[in-house]
Amino acid sequence: MELRPLVGVIACRRQVEGHPAHMVTDKYLRALHDYGLAPVMLPVWEDGVDTALLTKLDGLLLTGSYTNVEPWRYGEEPAPQNTRDDRDRDAVSMALIPAAIERGLPLFGVCRGFQEFNVAFGGSLHQAVQTVSGLLDHREPEGDKAAQYAPVHDLAIEPGGVLAGLFDRSCAQVNSLHQQGIARLGDGLRVEGRAPDGLVEAVSVEGAASFALAVQWHPEWQPAEHPLYDALFRGFAEACRHHATR
Ligand SMILES: N[C@@H](CCC(=O)NCCCC(=O)O)C(=O)O
């Protein structure tokens, strides 16, 4: 049986039953599996990461998380609303992102992963989007998980970009479960999509040798039910398969 392309999935530090743990929620792993990929969890050690491990991978997924990138990384003090961090995850993602781009490794960022992309490229974040004049409240709606991950706003897809090349419509509906968002766009990133209030919600890396796309919403939630989410995972999986044949 042909080995599936190996995709590294960055973990989050958590306490589980009183024990320090590294965690990835099922929906990220299941989405990669359902699109023919083999997920491999990447622990986030406090002493960082040996980026040489990327030579054994065919792709890298930066997942969402309820924690936030530490604001000192974009020159700011924590806002009162910014109460949860994961410094070990930050250290690992800030090392892996440039290393993956340099190696031409397919790279896909989701929610926090999207925000990590932007900070890794020198950009900054709104720490509480709902407090910014002119921007919507992008936090998840009340209700069960089905309600929280249901599509809630339009996404306008920028013409002529990577996302437009994956998906044949100029607009789609996406879910929204985030308090933070892009303030200053990172150097070398291209805007690929925006929310109705203008907030950037999808970016790509200009000149990247492979798939290098990050989105603020959660395409791993039932991707087969949402054509845009499906197009993203199909595109990422194809890039990982191509990388595996190199
Ligand atoms: N903490 C950041 C990023 C939000 C985020 O990644 N949410 C994920 C929720 C859990 C999951 O589905 O993985 C912010 O608030 O902007």
Side-chain angles (χ1 to χ4, degrees), residues 3-53:
L3 181 63
R4 289 169 170 232
L6 290 181
V7 175
V9 184
I10 194 169
C12 295
R13 289 308 293 262
R14 282 288 187 284
Q15 290 287 328
V16 175
E17 306 288 342
H19 294 282
H22 304 257
M23 191 197 79
V24 177
T25 50
D26 176 83
K27 55 190 173 70
Y28 295 103
L29 306 173
R30 190 169 302 276
L32 294 175
H33 177 80
D34 290 349
Y35 282 83
L37 303 170
V40 179
M41 187 184 80
L42 302 180
V44 286
W45 306 118
E46 52 279 1
D47 56 356
V49 61
D50 178 357
T51 57
L53 68 82

Side-chain angles (χ1 to χ4, degrees), residues 95-167:
L96 290 180
I97 291 168
I101 295 297
E102 185 184 328
R103 286 173 168 77
L105 188 71
L107 180 59
F108 188 12
V110 171
C111 210
R112 191 197 210 265
F114 165 84
Q115 295 163 2
E116 288 166 343
F117 251 65
N118 193 56
V119 174
F121 279 84
S124 65
L125 302 176
H126 295 301
Q127 295 187 53
V129 170
Q130 67 276 12
T131 66
V132 179
S133 172
L135 295 182
L136 300 171
D137 186 341
H138 286 254
R139 292 172 293 184
E140 59 267 30
E142 295 294 323
D144 62 11
K145 290 303 176 203
Q148 288 184 346
Y149 286 83
V152 287
H153 69 65
D154 283 349
L155 178 89
I157 295 171
E158 296 287 319
V162 173
L163 191 55
L166 292 172
F167 185 66

